[in-house]
Amino acid sequence: MPRIGTAEFKAEAHQQYAVLRRQGPIHRVRMADGSLGWVVVGYELAREALAHPKLSKDPEPFAEQLRASGRHILLAGSGFGGNMLMADPPEHTRLRRLVSGVFTTQAVEKLAPRVEELAHELIDSFAEQDSTDLVSSYTTPLPITVISELLGVPEDAREDLLAWTRHSMGLPSEQQRAGLLALNGYLSGLLKGKRRAPADDLLSRLIAVRDEDSGKLSDTELLGTAVILVVAGHETTVNLLGNAMVALLDHPEQARLLRENPEHIPGAVEEFLRYDPPLEITPTRFATEAFELGGRLIKAAETVTIALTSAGRDAPVEPGADPDQLDVLRKQARHAAFGHGIHYCIGAPLARLEGDIALRVLLSRLPDLAWAEPEQPVAWLPAGITRGPVRLPVAFTPAARPGRSV
């Protein structure tokens, strides 16, 4: 079996995970960087591991052992900011509370008109053609524009942010480190500029929190929070939309059901998150002491990764239903795509809103959307923890902008 996280594994990820699940819910495997670690592939055990108090997100206490094993370690203060994804309580609780109000369902709903406006603008840019690559023309620019406007990131920086983020989500390597350093460096400068000239955006509000009480948010934590908001604020949604469209293009009868029943699109978003989630595996967790997980002994300092792609296909479905089948009308699609427990994705309401609007607008505007190169296999992101298509070449009947004749 190829190492988990490599391009070879990703090409047949669902088949590979199915083999592992038949053998048990947790396995000792070799990861993409060559290190040995535990991977959880079963749904119930995934939920347990995601919320386990003996699995830490903070790599600093384990840095020496990890370096000795050849792992690349990125520690806060070495050019990188500290963030809530690499923190445990009480630091995690404090950092999360500072930004949680921005991403409540009620707060996110206020963004809906702008998200819909952007969706139409992007489709307007290619609707009068007869083909496009949806990744470059739609599923990527929509989320990066939304999060950039929310945070106050200038338009001319967004292409660089995309490139740096993609590198940062890849395998531990010098390229990943360079991408993260570039992203941290740019945002550090942006934060300094907003401190001099605040604006009506989330980064300026975070700076205000930092300056009102230095005990609330250190400079390193401010930078780390900005980085994680940029990365998590768009990368997950880019791949949610991309994976959803792969599923619908492969199952045109399911796309037809959603066009005929658009009220089911919010539920279908949950099904897409179950069927092929945007994050294949979680970032590494570290055992703070020896404990048993799924009948296996996890020793202190050993690493545990949760395979969210596998967990979704193992989640309970309706009696008689097949979890390997896409069903956009499924009444309750259970999944772990946004995590579980205290690290549950803070941006989940925004991702759901964008998924709902982006798919509804696209399906209604281009009713005969189909693969432009049906004989070609999907090219997946080559390596790292994310899962999504590199390209989505599609063909369709040219459509007029709303209110215009063709």
Side-chain angles (χ1 to χ4, degrees), residues 112-261:
R114 178 56 178 155
V115 174
E116 183 155 357
E117 180 183 36
L118 285 170
H120 281 291
E121 288 177 358
L122 289 168
I123 295 174
D124 285 346
S125 70
F126 61 79
E128 295 179 359
Q129 305 168 22
D130 60 3
S131 64
T132 191
D133 169 21
L134 283 178
V135 170
S136 61
S137 65
Y138 192 68
T139 65
T140 297
L142 179 61
I144 190 63
T145 302
V146 171
I147 196 63
S148 294
E149 291 183 353
L150 184 62
L151 296 176
V153 175
E155 187 173 353
D156 60 6
R158 293 170 192 173
E159 285 193 18
D160 286 333
L161 290 186
L162 285 168
W164 295 330
T165 297
R166 190 53 50 84
H167 290 321
S168 72
M169 300 294 278
L171 297 178
S173 63
E174 286 307 313
Q175 185 183 49
Q176 182 208 36
R177 180 183 177 86
L180 273 169
L181 279 172
L183 180 59
N184 277 256
Y186 171 78
L187 289 174
S188 179
L190 183 62
L191 289 167
K192 290 177 182 176
K194 290 184 179 295
R195 176 170 277 123
R196 292 191 298 267
D200 183 19
D201 57 55
L202 179 54
L203 291 185
S204 295
R205 293 199 289 276
L206 286 175
I207 291 169
V209 169
R210 163 72 184 96
D211 291 344
E212 286 168 7
D213 185 346
S214 60
K216 287 185 178 178
L217 199 64
S218 70
D219 284 334
T220 298
E221 290 169 341
L222 174 62
L223 174 59
T225 300
V227 170
I228 205 63
L229 288 174
V230 168
V231 174
H234 79 275
E235 181 70 15
T236 299
T237 310
V238 168
N239 293 322
L240 162 59
L241 295 176
N243 293 350
M245 288 312 304
V246 169
L248 290 176
L249 291 164
D250 282 346
H251 300 84
E253 76 287 352
Q254 297 286 300
R256 177 183 57 79
L257 286 173
L258 289 183
R259 288 190 179 95
E260 294 173 353
N261 305 276

Side-chain angles (χ1 to χ4, degrees), residues 39 49 59 118-119 140 145 218 229 234 242 278 281 288 301 314 342 348 375 398 406:
V39 63
L118 285 170
T140 297
T145 302
S218 70
L229 288 174
H234 79 275
I281 56 176
T288 57
D314 191 53
I342 63 171
E375 73 286 351
V406 178

Side-chain angles (χ1 to χ4, degrees), residues 20 44 61 66 81 85 100 102 104 121 126-127 139 200 235 246 290 319-320:
L20 289 173
E44 294 297 342
L66 292 168
L85 291 188
S100 59
V102 179
T104 63
E121 288 177 358
F126 61 79
T139 65
D200 183 19
E235 181 70 15
V246 169

